[in-house]
Amino acid sequence: MDPLISSAARALSSGAPLDALNLVALRDDAPALALRGIALAQLGDLARARALVHRAARAFGPRRPAARARCIVAEAEIALVSRDVKWPGRMLDAARATLQAQGDHVNAEHARYISARRLLLLGRLDEAQRLLDEAPAGSLPAALNTAHELTVAGIAVRRGRANAASAALGRAQIAARRSAIPALISEVQDAADTLNAPAARLFLQGRERTLRLAEVEALHASKILVVDACRNVLWRSGIAVPLVTRPVLFSLARILGEAWPEDVPRDVLIERVFRMKVADETHRARLRVEIGRLRALLEPLADVRATPEGFVLVPRNAGEVAVLARLEDTPHGAVLALLADGESWPSSALALALGTSQRSVQRALDSLAASGLAQSQGRGRARRWMASPLRGFTTSLLLPLAPAVD
């Protein structure tokens, strides 16, 4: 192999992109284009990096399938960092199969972890877990071990399993130090810091406090009935009643949960849920209908009883009621939670990750921008969104598991 190409590849694998660029900056052959693209990606120039890697893949062509597959894997990773989750996953799967057939097992496993991270970003946790479970046992380079453990931790976080996530991050820290790649060590540390940061707010008997994810996990094991405003579900001791598609019913449940053990007057419920300051008999009749629907859905967990003034939530087995809410209780908390990862997102990727329409996401982004919580750069199709610099921004640790389609 060309000694300059070999030296540049070693520099990139050790996390020294400037050294690699010094060796191949003036060359336009396919291997040099690929290495230049990867070096620019490590330096953060993602647009130029992606163009160079794409040129390299075309230059290698079908006669060098392994080299072309490596370029496809590199382009997929750049797309992932760019939050271009619409980039075709099937192409990455084909590249991984090619690398396996060509005996390049290290890069094939790297492609596996890119696929798993993409699925994790889209909330498709079962598919991501299956990919990890199918990974062959055996020794891998420290960088790939780190990627594996980071993905394991990410899945555990999205499932609310703080102890499993902490154990995986501990293993990731060991592997990252062994790799001696500063960017990888920093990524693991950032993930650990996020895991230990406040994840949500808890309202219980009129008092409010913040919880870390480990405390939220402990809440699942308690006897408390939780009105989860992060995921629009009520749960206790393994029993869950989802109300994602019933916003009116969930609003009623949350208001009753925040007031527990006191009741809530009918006029207050009508004003807050139906947004009617002046209530008449038609509104009271509608409230009775919605309360009846809520009572039927919550039958395994609680009863909704009428009082002389209004209604009160009464949990089964004489337990307590708490409300779990986001740190930033905005109407578009799920969008803000995704933006809080520090990357810039196109609105189409946000729509895929949340399983909603791009128009709905765009309206949410415009609202967040008007309130100073989000900002954009670029125009047209190149427009991308990120969270504004904030203290105490919302967290993705309790992000809903949104469906998505390839």
Side-chain angles (χ1 to χ4, degrees):
M1 182 182 284
D2 186 325
L4 285 179
I5 295 295
S6 299
S7 298
R10 284 194 297 270
L12 284 176
S13 65
S14 63
L18 291 176
D19 293 343
L21 279 178
N22 285 335
L23 294 168
V24 296
L26 300 179
R27 293 177 51 168
D28 284 327
D29 52 297
L33 287 173
L35 293 174
R36 283 167 56 196
I38 296 169
L40 287 175
Q42 291 186 7
L43 292 170
D45 192 349
L46 300 180
R48 290 176 61 194
R50 192 168 177 179
L52 286 169
V53 171
H54 188 72
R55 280 178 59 194
R58 293 179 61 186
F60 281 123
R63 294 185 179 181
R64 301 183 64 181
R68 182 173 181 272
R70 292 187 198 105
C71 290
I72 291 173
V73 172
E75 186 176 356
E77 186 167 20
I78 295 169
L80 181 70
V81 175
S82 304
R83 295 300 185 256
D84 182 10
V85 292
K86 294 177 68 177
W87 197 88
R90 294 186 185 90
M91 189 181 296
L92 181 58
D93 294 339
R96 177 160 58 91
T98 298
L99 291 169
Q100 287 282 16
Q102 295 288 325
D104 188 351
H105 301 299
V106 171
N107 279 308
E109 290 309 298
H110 183 52
R112 180 191 302 278
Y113 295 128
I114 293 171
S115 295
R117 288 169 61 195
R118 176 178 176 270
L119 292 169
L120 173 60
L121 199 63
L122 293 172
R124 293 155 64 177
L125 305 189
D126 291 338
E127 295 175 60
Q129 186 63 59
R130 278 197 296 271
L131 271 181
L132 295 186
D133 293 342
E134 293 167 2
S139 59
L140 289 173
L144 283 185
N145 278 330
T146 307
H148 177 93
E149 298 299 345
L150 280 172
T151 309
V152 170
I155 293 172
V157 161
R158 291 291 295 273
R159 286 177 168 159
R161 299 170 184 170
N163 292 332
S166 181
L169 287 175
R171 297 190 296 269
Q173 286 178 329
I174 295 171
R177 293 192 194 102
R178 200 165 63 245
S179 75
I181 299 175
L184 207 53
I185 296 172
S186 177
E187 182 178 356
V188 175
Q189 187 58 52
D190 287 345
D193 291 342
T194 301
L195 182 63
N196 293 321
R201 294 176 297 152
L202 184 73
F203 298 87
L204 179 62
Q205 294 189 6
R207 296 187 299 273
E208 175 186 348
R209 65 188 180 96
T210 59
L211 300 182
R212 294 180 296 109
L213 189 63
E215 294 171 302
V216 176
E217 184 178 23
L219 196 62
H220 278 270
S222 72
K223 299 298 182 181
I224 297 176
L225 171 62
V226 177
V227 182
D228 189 342
C230 300
R231 292 173 172 169
N232 285 21
V233 62
L234 278 75
W235 45 261
R236 185 184 65 186
S237 302
I239 302 174
V241 177
L243 295 176
V244 176
T245 59
R246 310 293 292 271
V248 171
L249 299 188
F250 183 78
S251 294
L252 284 170
R254 177 171 181 174
I255 294 168
L256 293 172
E258 288 174 348
W260 186 88
E262 304 297 331
D263 64 349
V264 182
R266 291 171 176 79
D267 289 348
V268 173
L269 288 171
I270 290 170
E271 179 180 351
R272 293 182 60 184
V273 176
F274 304 146
R275 299 178 183 177
M276 296 289 180
K277 292 187 177 181
V278 179
D280 57 25
E281 284 305 316
T282 60
H283 300 129
R284 294 186 178 90
R286 183 186 174 190
L287 178 63
R288 287 194 296 271
V289 170
E290 299 296 350
I291 287 290
R293 290 170 177 165
L294 181 64
R295 184 181 289 124
L297 288 173
L298 296 188
E299 198 275 335
L301 296 173
D303 187 20
V304 183
R305 294 179 185 171
T307 67
E309 296 296 324
F311 295 93
V312 62
L313 191 62
V314 181
R316 305 289 180 193
N317 304 319
E320 293 183 300
V321 179
V323 174
L324 190 69
R326 299 182 188 277
L327 294 177
E328 283 286 341
D329 204 1
T330 70
H332 310 294
V335 175
L336 193 59
L338 285 174
L339 295 178
D341 68 358
E343 303 293 343
S344 57
W345 288 69
S347 58
S348 58
L350 289 168
L352 274 175
L354 294 172
T356 187
S357 70
Q358 191 169 344
R359 181 172 296 180
S360 297
V361 168
Q362 191 60 56
R363 285 197 295 265
L365 289 169
D366 290 340
S367 175
L368 290 171
S371 58
L373 297 175
Q375 59 189 20
S376 65
Q377 60 183 13
R379 294 183 178 180
R381 291 188 175 183
R383 194 179 193 188
R384 308 181 73 84
W385 293 85
M386 65 192 73
S388 299
L390 290 173
R391 297 178 62 185
F393 53 75
T394 190
T395 174
S396 62
L397 298 185
L398 299 173
L399 194 63
L401 308 183
V405 180
D406 240 330

